[in-house]
Amino acid sequence: MLEIRRSAERGHANHGWLDSYHSFSFADYHDPKHMHFGPLRVINEDRIEAGQGFGAHGHRDMEIVTYVLEGALAHRDSMGNGSTIGPGDVQRMSAGTGVRHSEFNASKEAPLHLLQIWILPQRIGEPPGYEEKRFGEAEKRGRLRIVAAPDGREGAVTIHADASIYAGLFDGPERAVLALAPGRQAYVHLVRGRLSVNGTILTAGDAAMLSAVEAVTLEQGENAEVLLFDLA
């Protein structure tokens, strides 16, 4: 089964300094039909004005993955981590028993565009943790590069959830197929461009939810950047 959710169907909030689209219920946006997909709980597409951001705030018992599209994100947290991440970087913060962090646009001039993803952990009450890694464009060109996985395989960041995240860049004849194990489901979020997912065309911001299928096929890309989630 394949279900499509178009970009315009997402929740939307514009706070001036923050323009955010919500794939799932979040903050003041509540849609009982879109609370989560398997353990995938949040995909927020955020555009943050120069010099603006989120002051120190707390999380617990959530795997938080940040994927920067444009600009630079300054991160600080109560575990002592501090860094600036940009396009190609994947950041994982395991909130566990509790962590506080702040996130700001590192630039005083340029906007910041990112995806923040929340995934429900397999166990609650674990110690908090942090990790970040860079995945260059060449690693994602015409293929699905695993960037987050429970076992950290192939150099991915380690998330404590029954989920794996792949990133890919597709254009022209480039094509990739991901086989799904029995009982698994997939969520495809098209970050930008245009792409065919199992024969259905997506454009930027669209999502495809797939269950009871043997594989996910990505092809016919036009400057496409995509995230694919393999989920319990």
Side-chain angles (χ1 to χ4, degrees):
M1 184 177 71
L2 184 151
E3 180 183 350
I4 301 298
R5 187 159 190 235
R6 298 298 178 186
S7 176
E9 298 171 1
R10 295 178 294 174
H12 181 225
N14 192 330
H15 302 283
W17 65 272
L18 169 67
D19 189 15
S20 186
Y21 285 87
H22 309 311
S23 296
F24 301 97
S25 294
F26 186 86
D28 292 334
Y29 167 61
H30 180 75
D31 182 347
K33 294 182 179 178
H34 296 97
M35 295 298 295
H36 64 95
F37 187 75
L40 179 58
R41 176 61 187 86
V42 166
I43 301 179
N44 287 347
E45 181 179 3
D46 291 344
R47 289 176 171 85
I48 302 170
E49 292 296 314
Q52 299 295 314
F54 304 92
H57 59 283
H59 296 280
R60 62 180 303 131
D61 292 323
M62 192 68 70
E63 297 293 297
I64 300 172
V65 176
T66 303
Y67 188 90
V68 176
L69 304 174
E70 297 176 29
L73 173 71
H75 167 92
R76 300 290 183 273
D77 65 46
S78 57
M79 295 177 284
N81 300 297
S83 65
T84 300
I85 66 170
D89 294 327
V90 173
Q91 178 197 76
R92 181 269 301 172
M93 188 177 74
S94 299
T97 52
V99 66
R100 292 181 62 80
H101 74 144
S102 64
E103 301 165 293
F104 280 87
N105 185 338
S107 173
K108 300 300 182 183
E109 300 174 353
L112 170 63
H113 185 194
L114 60 82
L115 295 178
Q116 187 163 99
I117 298 154
W118 295 8
I119 302 176
L120 298 168
Q122 289 180 290
R123 294 177 298 277
I124 63 172
E126 293 290 313
Y130 180 88
E131 186 180 14
E132 64 180 62
K133 291 189 178 180
R134 175 174 289 274
F135 301 92
E137 184 173 321
E139 296 183 71
K140 297 175 282 189
R141 171 54 56 196
R143 64 186 291 258
L144 286 168
R145 172 58 161 105
I146 192 163
V147 298
D151 55 3
R153 65 186 182 277
E154 299 178 32
V157 300
T158 301
I159 54 174
H160 305 99
D162 194 354
S164 296
I165 307 174
Y166 297 81
L169 302 169
F170 297 92
D171 201 34
E174 296 170 337
R175 182 176 187 267
V177 179
L178 180 72
L180 294 179
R184 305 291 293 181
Q185 54 190 343
Y187 188 97
V188 179
H189 179 87
L190 188 60
V191 176
R192 47 188 156 206
R194 179 182 172 95
L195 187 68
S196 170
V197 179
N198 284 23
T200 297
I201 297 295
L202 302 187
T203 56
D206 291 350
M209 293 160 276
L210 302 100
S211 57
V213 299
E214 295 182 353
V216 182
T217 300
L218 308 179
E219 56 191 345
Q220 301 175 33
E222 297 178 15
N223 298 315
E225 182 168 7
V226 65
L227 292 179
L228 190 159
F229 300 79
D230 180 343
L231 303 163

